[in-house]
Amino acid sequence: MDIPRPSCALLILIVLCLTQLTECMNGGKINFREKEKQILDQILGPGRYDARIRPSGINGTGDAPTLVRVNLYLRSISKIDDYKMEYSVQLTFREQWLDERLKFNNLGGRLKYLTLTEANRVWMPDLFFSNEKEGHFHNIIMPNVYIRIFPNGNVLYSIRISLTLSCPMNLKLYPLDKQTCSLRMASYGWTTDDLVFLWKEGDPVQVVKNLHLPRFTLEKFLTDYCNSKTNTGEYSCLKVDLLFKREFSYYLIQIYIPCCMLVIVSWVSFWLDQGAVPARVSLGVTTLLTMATQSSGINASLPPVSYTKAIDVWTGVCLTFVFGALLEFALVNYASRSDMHREMMKKTRREMETAASMDAASDLLDTDSNATFAMKPLVRDGIIDSKMRQCEVRMSPPRKNCCRLWMSKFPTRSKRIDVISRITFPLVFALFNLAYWSTYLFRDEDQEK
C-alpha cells in the first residue's frame, strides 16, 4: 500500500529534527581529532605526496631553490676539552620551510597546525654538522622530535640533539687565552641551485639563561655563512662562532701562586749558613724536583704543540730560578773553599814574612857587634823599626764608593755571593713578573688572533 505524500514529508521533517536535536545535545562541537586524521590522509595519502621530491621554490617556481630557515637554542655546554680540542653541546635544532603541497583548510582558523612525529612522512633537508665528531638523539621518554604543518604549507621541524664538535685551538696565550669554537651546518647532497640555508630573522641563536661552564665564560656568539665549493658544486652552509674566555682564577690558584711559592722557598738557602751543606742541598734539590713535577703535570693536561705557550714561559723561568738557586750554592761552596785556601796562603805568607824580618834583624845586630857598648833593648827595637820603615812603600788608600764600602763589611767572597743573591734574585724575578703580566694581560685583540 502506497504512503501518502503528506506522510513522507512529515517523516523527513522528523528525521531533520532528530539530527538537529542530536547536534544540540552534543553542544555543536566538531571532532577536530577526526578532522586532523582526514586532513592528514588527504594531503599525505598514497599517491598524493612524494617525500622524495623537494618542494618548489619561491612562488611555486620549480627552478628556484628551496629556502630553509634555521634557528638554534643552546641548552647546555657540558665540557671544553683542551687536550682533544673538542667541546660538547646540547641544543634544540629547528628548521622551517614552505611546502605548498601540504596546504589544508584550517576550518575557519580553528585548526592552527598539524603535528607529526615521523620525519620520513614529509620531505626533509639533508643537513649535517660538518665539524661533528659524534652525536645522538634523545629518546627518553619518547623521541624528542616533532613536525608541525601549518595551513599555508609551512613546515617546522624541531629536535633535541647532543653533539661533540671539534674546536681547533690556538694555545699560545694559554691560560690567558680566548677560544672561538664553531658549529657548522651544511647541505650534504643538494647544491645551492636546489637548497639554500638561511638564518631565521630576528634571533636565530638563543642561549639558555645562567649558562654555567667550569673553566670558561661564553662572552658572545656570531652567526655567519660558510658556503663551500667542491668539484661537485657549491653547497649552502651556516655557522655559529662561540667566543669563550678562559677563567683565570682557577689557574692563578692552581699554578701561578704555587710556582711563586716554590721560587721564594728556594731563596731561603741564601740566608742559611754556608757551612750548612746538607740543609742547603736538600732545600735546592727538593724545590727543583717539585717544580719539575709541577711543570710535567701542567703539560700532561695539554696537547703536544710545536709552539711555546704562555704557561711554558712561566714554568720555564720559575724552573730556571730554582735551578739558579741550586747553582748559587755550588758557587758559594766553591768560593768558601777558595777563601779557606787563600787564608791558609796568607797565614803561610805572614809566617814567612815574620821569619824574614827576624833574619833581617839578626843581620843588623851582627853588623853592629863591633861596637864598644851594649845596646839597650829599647834602642835596638827602634833601630829595627826604622830599618823596616825604610823598606815600606807608602801609598794613599783608595777611595771607596758606598757599594764597595758596604761589601767590605763581608770579608769572604762566599758571603758576598750570598748577599748579592739575596738582592739580585728577587729583583730579577720581580722584573720578569712585570714583563710577563704586561705582555699577556694588556695585549690587543688583534694580537690574540
Side-chain angles (χ1 to χ4, degrees):
M1 184 176 65
D2 295 335
I3 300 175
R5 289 186 178 180
S7 300
C8 292
L10 181 62
L11 183 61
I12 294 172
L13 181 61
I14 292 173
V15 171
L16 290 175
C17 291
L18 290 174
T19 304
Q20 292 293 331
L21 181 63
T22 303
E23 290 183 359
C24 290
M25 292 177 64
N26 292 332
K29 294 182 179 179
I30 301 176
N31 189 347
F32 287 100
R33 304 290 79 80
E34 182 66 25
K35 290 293 182 180
E36 289 180 7
K37 177 182 179 303
Q38 294 176 3
I39 294 173
L40 287 174
D41 292 340
Q42 179 182 355
I43 61 177
L44 298 176
R48 296 180 178 272
Y49 185 89
D50 192 345
R52 298 172 297 176
I53 308 301
R54 72 172 180 87
S56 301
I58 302 174
N59 298 325
T61 305
D63 296 335
T66 303
L67 302 181
V68 179
R69 303 188 182 275
V70 177
N71 72 306
L72 305 174
Y73 178 68
L74 293 177
R75 294 182 173 272
S76 65
I77 300 176
S78 57
K79 69 171 183 177
I80 301 177
D81 195 331
D82 297 318
Y83 190 85
K84 295 181 179 180
M85 292 192 178
E86 64 184 20
Y87 71 105
S88 298
V89 61
Q90 183 185 129
L91 55 89
T92 298
F93 174 76
R94 303 186 186 100
E95 294 177 306
Q96 192 168 3
W97 66 93
L98 177 64
D99 192 343
E100 295 185 350
R101 297 173 295 177
L102 299 177
K103 289 182 177 181
F104 62 89
N105 184 10
N106 60 0
L107 302 179
R110 289 181 290 181
L111 191 59
K112 294 183 178 180
Y113 53 80
L114 303 174
T115 301
L116 297 177
T117 56
E118 299 175 2
N120 58 353
R121 296 288 301 275
V122 297
W123 176 87
M124 295 292 299
D126 60 343
L127 181 141
F128 77 104
F129 297 92
S130 57
N131 60 333
E132 173 206 356
K133 286 188 174 181
E134 59 183 29
H136 65 273
F137 301 122
H138 293 267
N139 296 317
I140 299 175
I141 298 176
M142 293 293 291
N144 298 170
V145 59
Y146 69 80
I147 298 175
R148 290 177 181 175
I149 304 175
F150 294 88
N152 61 350
N154 275 328
V155 180
L156 173 63
Y157 174 72
S158 178
I159 186 171
R160 185 165 74 98
I161 53 179
S162 292
L163 300 170
T164 299
L165 305 163
S166 64
C167 178
M169 299 182 183
N170 186 350
L171 299 174
K172 288 184 178 180
L173 301 178
Y174 177 91
L176 301 165
D177 57 336
K178 296 181 180 180
Q179 300 297 335
T180 301
C181 296
S182 298
L183 174 62
R184 294 174 176 267
M185 300 159 286
S187 172
Y188 189 80
W190 298 98
T191 63
T192 52
D193 295 332
D194 298 315
L195 179 63
V196 173
F197 289 111
L198 300 173
W199 284 114
K200 184 180 179 180
E201 297 178 357
D203 195 5
V205 178
Q206 300 171 327
V207 181
V208 65
K209 294 182 179 179
N210 301 323
L211 179 65
H212 177 70
L213 297 174
R215 299 184 186 180
F216 288 87
T217 299
L218 179 60
E219 284 196 334
K220 60 181 179 180
F221 53 87
L222 302 172
T223 58
D224 201 358
Y225 296 90
C226 53
N227 290 6
S228 60
K229 290 184 178 180
T230 65
N231 57 0
T232 58
E234 181 179 359
Y235 298 89
S236 183
C237 175
L238 303 177
K239 73 171 181 177
V240 185
D241 290 332
L242 305 173
L243 181 60
F244 296 102
K245 181 181 179 181
R246 198 181 299 271
E247 289 290 346
F248 179 66
S249 57
Y250 170 82
Y251 300 93
L252 179 65
I253 296 173
Q254 296 293 328
I255 297 177
Y256 285 92
I257 292 179
C259 288
C260 281
M261 294 174 65
L262 285 174
V263 172
I264 294 173
V265 167
S266 68
W267 298 342
V268 175
S269 64
F270 304 154
W271 300 87
L272 298 179
D273 185 75
Q274 59 190 13
V277 177
R280 297 188 69 164
V281 170
S282 300
L283 182 63
V285 172
T286 302
T287 52
L288 181 63
L289 293 178
T290 306
M291 190 66 222
T293 304
Q294 179 86 346
S295 178
S296 300
I298 294 170
N299 291 325
S301 62
L302 296 173
V305 293
S306 59
Y307 47 83
T308 302
K309 304 180 289 292
I311 195 66
D312 295 335
V313 176
W314 175 264
T315 55
V317 172
C318 290
L319 190 62
T320 302
F321 271 94
V322 174
F323 184 66
L326 185 61
L327 290 183
E328 188 270 349
F329 171 66
L331 182 60
V332 167
N333 187 268
Y334 172 78
S336 177
R337 289 185 284 109
S338 178
D339 291 338
M340 293 176 60
H341 180 71
R342 180 177 297 181
E343 288 296 328
M344 293 178 62
M345 294 295 293
K346 285 183 178 180
K347 184 178 180 180
T348 304
R349 190 179 298 109
R350 283 196 299 268
E351 292 177 353
M352 293 177 63
E353 289 176 355
T354 303
S357 62
M358 294 299 293
D359 292 338
S362 298
D363 292 340
L364 289 174
L365 291 175
D366 291 341
T367 304
D368 298 336
S369 61
N370 295 327
T372 57
F373 58 91
M375 299 178 65
K376 295 181 180 181
L378 183 60
V379 177
R380 182 176 58 194
D381 294 340
I383 295 172
I384 294 174
D385 291 339
S386 62
K387 296 290 186 180
M388 293 296 294
R389 282 195 295 270
Q390 293 175 3
C391 299
E392 292 179 354
V393 179
R394 296 187 177 275
M395 300 178 63
S396 59
R399 298 179 61 184
K400 296 182 179 180
N401 56 23
C402 60
C403 184
R404 288 178 177 270
L405 185 62
W406 180 69
M407 291 300 297
S408 64
K409 296 180 181 180
F410 309 101
T412 60
R413 290 189 302 170
S414 58
K415 189 65 177 178
R416 292 174 184 173
I417 294 174
D418 271 342
V419 172
I420 293 174
S421 298
R422 294 173 190 173
I423 300 173
T424 304
F425 273 72
L427 181 61
V428 175
F429 190 67
L431 292 176
F432 162 71
N433 273 270
L434 181 62
Y436 182 86
W437 298 114
S438 299
T439 302
Y440 290 107
L441 284 181
F442 305 102
R443 61 191 182 273
D444 298 332
E445 295 292 333
D446 296 336
Q447 294 178 355
E448 296 179 7
K449 299 177 182 179

